[in-house]
Every structure is written in C-alpha cells, then in structure tokens.
Amino acid sequence: MDTPTVIETKDLSKEYDHQVAVDHLTFSIREGEIFGFLGPNGAGKTTTLLMLLGLTRPSKGSALVCGLDPMRKAKEVKRRVGYLPENVGFYGDLDAVESLEYVASLNGIRGTEARGKIEELLELVGLSEDARKKVGAFSRGMKQRLGIAEVLLKDPEVLFLDEPTLGLDPEGAVRLIDLISQLNQERNISVLLSSHHLHQVQKISHRVGIMITGKMVAMGSIESLAKEKLGLGGREYSLEEIYMKYFPEV
Amino acid sequence: MQGLYAVFRKEICDHFTSYRFVILFALIAMISLITSYMAGIHLREDLEALAKTRYPFLMLFSTPGAMFSMVQFVAFFGPLIGLVLGFDSINRERAHGTLIKLVSQPIYRDAVINGKFLAGVMTVSVMLLSIILVITGFGLAIVGLVPGVEEIWRLFVFLIISIFYVSFWIALSILFSILFKSIVTSALASGALWIFLWLIIPVGANVLANAVAPINAHEETQAETIIKNARIKEITSLASPMVLYSEATAAIIDPMLNTTRSITLMGPMEKLLSSRFQNPLPLGQSLLVVFPHLTVLIAITLICFAVSYLVFMLQEIRT
Ligand SMILES: Nc1ncnc2c1ncn2[C@@H]1O[C@H](COP(=O)(O)OP(=O)(O)OP(=O)(O)O)[C@@H](O)[C@H]1O
Ligand SMILES: [Mg+2]
C-alpha cells in the first residue's frame, strides 16, 4: 500500500459557461497501476485528462501529476506524461518514420538515438513494414498504433490514453490492449485508460473509476465494486453488469 | 529552445516543398523579371536621366517601367506573400488534430507560434533576396549597369525593410489563424484587411482631410488650410502599412527625391522632380528619414504578436 501516487487530484472542477463538466473530482492513481476511466459520453473524462496535462485551466481544485502542478510546471509534466488524444491527427504528407522523427525532435531526441528508438518502436507496434508509407494512406488502426509509438518516444512514466481502441477491429483492439498491459508490466508505466469497451478495460485494469456528469460515482477494484453492487455470490460477473447498475433501470 | 527549433525546421521544410510556395515564387519571379526588364528598357532609352542621377543602378528598382516599379510591386504583393504563408498556420493544425499533439509535447506553447513565424520570415527573406539578385543580374546584362558600394548598401537596407514589412503580414496572418477556427474565414479576413488597408485608408484620408480642412476649387484657399489638409492626409494615410513601406523605401531607393509619395501618385511629376534635385540625401540621412517608419512597422508587428500570444496561451486546445 506504500507505492507512491503518480496522480492526485483534490476537488478538481471545470465549469464551462453554465455547464459543469467536471465536478469536485478527488481521486488518485498509484505508480504502476492501470486505471480504467469509464463513463458515458460527455461525462467529463477528456476534460479531466486535459486538466491533468495543463492544457485546460481548472475552475477549482488542484491536481498533482508526478508530484508536479500541471498548470505551473506544464513542460515538466508533459515530459513525463504521454498523451494519446481521442482523435489523434497526423501530417498526411509525412511517412511513419518522419512523423516519429518530428515528435522525437520536439522531445529533444536526435540523431542515432532517435533512429534507434524509432526502429524499436515501429517494431513494437507492428508497423515496421509500413515505415516508409505516407501516414495519409494509413488505416485507422495503423494511425492508432503510430500514435502509441509517438507517445512512447519520450519514455513516459505515465500514459493517458483517451479511447485508444476506438474504431479498431476486434483483433487490433486485443493486440493494443495486450501491448498496453505489456508496457505496464515491462516498463512499469502507469496508465490512465479512458474507454467505452468494458470487457477490454476489465481485462487489464487494476482499478476502475466510473464518472457520470462530472462526478466519480464509483472507484475501486472490479471485485470490490462487484461485491458492493452484486453482493457476495462468487458467481461470474462482468464489468458491464456492474457498470449498468450505476444507471437507472431503462 | 529545442521545441522552437524543431517547429522552425519542420515549417521551413513544409514551405519550401509546398506547391503554394512554388506557385507564389514563380509568380513573383515572373512579375519582377518583367518589371525590371521594362525598367531596363525604359532606362536605356532615357539615358539622359541616367546621366543625371548619382545612383543609376537603383533606378532599376524605382523606375515604373510599364505599370509599376519594383518597389511598388513589393508594397502591393508583399502582403499577399505574408498572408498566403500564414493564414492557415494554426487553424490547419487544429483542423487536422495535430495541434493538441504539438502542445502535449514538452515544449513551451509559444514555441509553436514563434517557430512558425520565424520560418515564414526565413522563407520570405530567401524569396526577396533571390528576387533582388535576379534583378541585379538583369541590370548587369541588359543595361550594363554595375552597382556601386553605396547602391549595394541601399539595396541591403531595402531588403531589410521589405523583410520587416512582409513579416508584419505574416504576424497578422498567424493572428488570424489563431482567432478564426475556420481556414476559409481566416483567408477571407486577411484578404479583406489587405484591401481595406490598401484602398480604404488612402481614400478615407482624403475624405477626412477635406472634411476638416476643405479646399475649395473656386475660391482662393489660404495657404494654411492647404498645408493643414496635406498634413492630415499624410498622417492618416500612415495608418496603412503600405504607405509606411512605400515612403520608407522611397527614401532609400530613390534618394534624389527626398519627398514622399504614394503608390498611386507616380508619373510625369516624379520625373520632373527627379531631374530637379541634383544632390541625393546621404545614406545616413536617408536612414534617419526611414527610422520612424521602420519603428512603426516593427511596433505593429509586435502588437500582432502580443495579441497572438495572449489569445493562444489562454486558449483551450481540445483538438
Ligand atoms: N469548449 C467547451 N465549451 C462548453 N462545454 C464544453 C466544452 N468542451 C466540453 N464541454 C462539455 O463538457 C462536458 C464533458 O466533455 P468531455 O469531452 O470531457 O466528455 P467525455 O467524457 O470525454 O465524453 P466522450 O466519452 O464522448 O469522449 C460535455 O458535456 C461537453 O459538452
Ligand atoms: Mg472524450
């Protein structure tokens, strides 16, 4: 229980004119943990991630990422955190290697070091064959994997993945989920994973949080949530079953 | 610093490999070739004027051949270059979802706009320098004119002022690309402002001057009123960067003529004047004359930049 926390928020809130997107959010993530961040559309998941990265100013409350205040030390936070936005964009006229080279140069990685890393990462995400293909001609899944490679270039301590499996075919999604799990185990990268694919989240998450209209309504390991909502039965349960319990019966 | 350099390099690369740049460059090279050719032909016929002036070489740049002189051409087309290079610099990234990626890298956010601005300035510098070199070569070949040392200095100053002038337009277009999320809107807004500053301000200056100090054609007007009228016109039209630039370069490239002139007022009068004034302003004096103009050009560029900073730094970037 003494592992240090990588993310800690206290009463973190964001209000857009007259609308509360994130409402007094208090939670923490420990080092080496995969945290499944669940919730319906518009719950405020993306907004939370943006605040943790210092890209959006919180209306209230505070956050610490790797012990740093994202608003004050944005650059240092971004050095440690790899963020894969929900719709990653690419420069269509660059090929995979050039895209990675650009991101590498933005991270101050150059020359042979950059080349070695790029080759290794393309291998890791399975894009070695398409290294010299223009990103404009990439399929959705290939782009997603390239996005992961870009995020890993900086050797992050923490990954923020916003719906990384969106639009992937089932096999691609499974592979990506396995890759995330592998990165977590081999490199001890903490992961904040926002997703709507509950069975995938269930497969790799150590803990999950369910956010509804800006509030975290449940947080904990899947077993503890199951106990709380389904009672002690020792029977098979799925995360989906638990998740649905947080919504009024249709 | 590393972020600034990375963005700068990427943007330079993009500029020099884009069709946009190639077309723009071809267009400008073509027009400047024609302009200087016309000026050259004109000068060959008007050897008398050449004999009188101390700086025959500079006349290649200041003589309106068929339609306009090189200096007027830059005054008119420089804005277009600047605007075309920058009008979609930020909003295109936003539309493609690459801006969020850029700002989630460990760089300062301002490195994005600084890098883009500097890359634009660099591109424009290369463009203008090569045009000047082409015209110089032309002058050597057609008219057989060889530039003197002072003429080279003056051309250099002309280049610097032109770079500052176009830089202002780049800064302005980057500001528009931050303010307007839609690329089309930002293109339209830049175009509209260009036309406004180019056409409306001189006309507006006239209207204002005539309203405050009317000059009546029929009655005798007091000399005081005429001077007042002219002053108001002059000061108001300085609100236009084109006028600022034209006046500044006129003092540098056309030292025989230490009067100021506007883009539209060219022709026989100027010839008359240039044959009257025999002693050109020394370079040091010319520089003193253009110093305020240059200061204002830099100041408005900085204002554009300051606004860009404020908006971009506080802006929420979601895509
Ligand atoms: N710029 C904005 N202005 C006003 N309201 C906004 C703005 N951006 C987001 N919102 C609102 O904030 C709320 C949270 O949005 P957010 O994108 O964080 O949801 P999300 O949990 O990521 O949803 P999804 O699962 O669909 O990605 C939404 O109700 C949205 O309408
Ligand atoms: Mg979202």
Side-chain angles (χ1 to χ4, degrees):
Chain A
M1 262 330 275
D2 268 322
T3 24
T5 57
V6 284
I7 294 172
E8 222 176 327
T9 72
K10 192 159 184 300
D11 288 334
L12 196 64
S13 311
K14 177 73 187 178
E15 277 169 45
Y16 289 109
D17 16 47
H18 308 306
Q19 197 200 351
V20 182
V22 177
D23 196 1
H24 294 90
L25 183 66
T26 304
F27 80 114
S28 64
I29 296 179
R30 284 189 297 273
E31 199 181 294
E33 189 172 44
I34 298 183
F35 186 85
F37 201 18
L38 314 175
N41 296 131
K45 303 182 296 291
T46 303
T47 310
T48 306
L49 295 183
L50 291 177
M51 285 192 286
L52 292 178
L53 267 174
L55 294 176
T56 295
R57 184 173 289 279
S59 321
K60 259 196 287 263
S62 64
L64 281 182
V65 177
C66 302
L68 299 161
D69 177 352
M71 272 333 277
R72 296 235 191 89
K73 301 263 177 204
K75 198 174 157 185
E76 277 79 278
V77 168
K78 288 171 192 165
R79 195 180 309 259
R80 293 152 198 245
V81 179
Y83 173 47
L84 184 67
E86 47 187 338
N87 285 306
V88 233
F90 295 93
Y91 303 100
D93 51 342
L94 300 185
D95 63 32
V97 174
E98 287 166 341
S99 299
L100 287 167
E101 271 168 356
Y102 184 41
V103 176
S105 69
L106 287 168
N107 282 283
I109 308 165
R110 270 200 199 82
T112 43
E113 190 196 353
R115 250 169 281 138
K117 262 196 171 147
I118 288 169
E119 204 173 308
E120 175 204 332
L121 285 172
L122 282 173
E123 185 73 44
L124 183 71
V125 298
L127 282 177
S128 300
E129 309 263 289
D130 306 293
R132 284 299 172 184
K133 205 164 159 185
K134 294 263 182 275
V135 180
F138 269 27
S139 74
R140 163 112 214 175
M142 289 159 78
K143 280 186 186 159
Q144 209 70 25
R145 281 184 273 160
L146 181 59
I148 296 271
E150 284 186 347
V151 156
L152 291 177
L153 264 174
K154 61 176 106 173
D155 283 327
E157 293 169 27
V158 189
L159 280 181
F160 290 177
L161 306 175
D162 203 348
E163 308 190 17
T165 52
L166 190 75
L168 294 192
D169 63 56
E171 191 235 344
V174 168
R175 285 232 294 237
L176 187 59
I177 286 295
D178 288 346
L179 175 64
I180 295 169
S181 175
Q182 178 194 341
L183 288 168
N184 170 256
Q185 280 158 21
E186 288 175 6
R187 308 190 186 188
N188 196 32
I189 301 176
S190 320
V191 182
L192 181 49
L193 172 69
S194 148
S195 179
H196 295 302
H197 294 115
L198 299 181
H199 57 281
Q200 292 164 1
V201 174
Q202 178 172 17
K203 204 168 132 194
I204 59 167
S205 296
H206 302 118
R207 282 195 312 147
V208 297
I210 299 174
M211 193 176 201
I212 299 175
T213 56
K215 286 195 178 71
M216 197 71 99
V217 294
M219 195 163 47
S221 66
I222 297 174
E223 295 94 84
S224 69
L225 292 186
K227 263 183 214 154
E228 185 184 316
K229 278 287 168 181
L230 302 173
L232 287 161
R235 65 183 177 94
E236 287 282 304
Y237 54 83
S238 71
L239 182 55
E240 193 168 328
E241 237 176 296
I242 305 166
Y243 181 80
M244 290 315 288
K245 288 279 181 195
Y246 287 92
F247 295 89
E249 299 290 332
V250 188
Chain B
M1 221 35 220
Q2 103 216 350
L4 177 70
Y5 179 67
V7 175
F8 174 76
R9 236 186 32 181
K10 160 97 169 52
E11 291 295 316
I12 285 275
C13 223
D14 282 359
H15 279 320
F16 281 98
T17 53
S18 67
Y19 286 122
R20 185 191 307 198
F21 173 82
V22 174
I23 293 171
L24 207 57
F25 197 77
L27 185 75
I28 288 162
M30 220 155 53
I31 296 182
S32 53
L33 270 183
I34 294 171
T35 313
S36 57
Y37 178 75
M38 291 302 208
I41 297 287
H42 193 84
L43 285 182
R44 255 212 314 222
E45 283 164 4
D46 197 6
L47 285 176
E48 194 193 344
L50 267 186
K52 269 186 190 158
T53 174
R54 231 324 241 275
Y55 304 119
F57 193 81
L58 291 180
M59 289 188 75
L60 270 179
F61 292 84
S62 61
T63 310
M67 299 155 281
F68 38 70
S69 71
M70 194 54 219
V71 171
Q72 290 167 322
F73 169 66
V74 177
F76 179 75
F77 253 117
L80 190 71
I81 306 175
L83 294 177
V84 165
L85 284 183
F87 78 94
D88 63 346
S89 44
I90 299 294
N91 47 20
R92 175 171 300 272
E93 302 247 11
R94 209 190 285 278
H96 288 192
T98 45
L99 190 59
I100 178 95
K101 194 165 82 182
L102 215 48
V103 296
S104 56
Q105 302 304 326
I107 59 173
Y108 292 113
R109 210 188 259 202
D110 58 354
V112 177
I113 34 182
N114 291 349
K116 281 175 184 273
F117 175 72
L118 289 179
V121 172
M122 187 72 182
T123 310
V124 162
S125 309
V126 170
M127 250 186 201
L128 290 172
L129 179 65
S130 50
I131 288 170
I132 289 182
L133 289 179
V134 165
I135 296 180
T136 305
F138 230 67
L140 288 171
I142 290 194
V143 200
L145 287 172
V146 181
V149 176
E150 177 157 359
E151 283 172 312
I152 292 178
W153 272 114
R154 281 177 185 274
L155 277 181
F156 179 71
V157 176
F158 168 66
L159 176 67
I160 299 294
I161 298 177
S162 303
I163 290 174
F164 274 116
Y165 176 58
V166 181
S167 300
F168 158 69
W169 293 98
I170 296 177
L172 188 71
S173 65
I174 290 181
L175 173 61
F176 279 0
S177 81
I178 293 172
L179 290 179
F180 301 110
K181 308 258 152 101
S182 144
I183 297 174
V184 178
T185 312
S186 123
L188 279 177
S190 330
L193 190 69
W194 178 35
I195 290 177
F196 174 80
L197 291 175
W198 174 52
L199 285 178
I200 310 290
I201 289 203
V203 174
N206 246 334
V207 172
L208 185 71
N210 287 338
V212 177
I215 297 177
N216 201 317
H218 302 296
E219 302 164 24
E220 282 282 304
T221 322
Q222 282 183 314
E224 235 172 84
T225 321
I226 297 182
I227 293 172
K228 199 172 166 196
N229 184 294
R231 291 233 89 182
I232 294 175
K233 224 183 285 184
E234 201 177 298
I235 290 173
T236 320
S237 58
L238 279 184
S240 157
M242 284 91 162
V243 176
L244 270 176
Y245 172 77
S246 304
E247 292 192 359
T249 43
I252 294 296
I253 286 292
D254 212 359
M256 307 292 281
L257 193 117
N258 88 57
T259 55
T260 51
R261 58 191 183 156
S262 71
I263 311 169
T264 40
L265 270 183
M266 292 288 291
M269 268 309 274
E270 182 185 304
K271 262 198 208 157
L272 196 75
L273 281 170
S274 70
S275 57
R276 287 254 172 94
F277 290 96
Q278 292 299 324
N279 282 321
L281 228 46
L283 182 57
Q285 294 293 317
S286 294
L287 285 178
L288 274 184
V289 171
V290 302
F291 188 69
H293 297 83
L294 202 55
T295 315
V296 176
L297 266 183
I298 294 175
I300 51 179
T301 309
L302 288 181
I303 290 174
C304 279
F305 235 86
V307 179
S308 300
Y309 263 56
L310 280 180
V311 177
F312 192 60
M313 290 298 173
L314 298 177
Q315 208 167 45
E316 181 179 271
I317 298 172
R318 277 182 160 259
T319 49

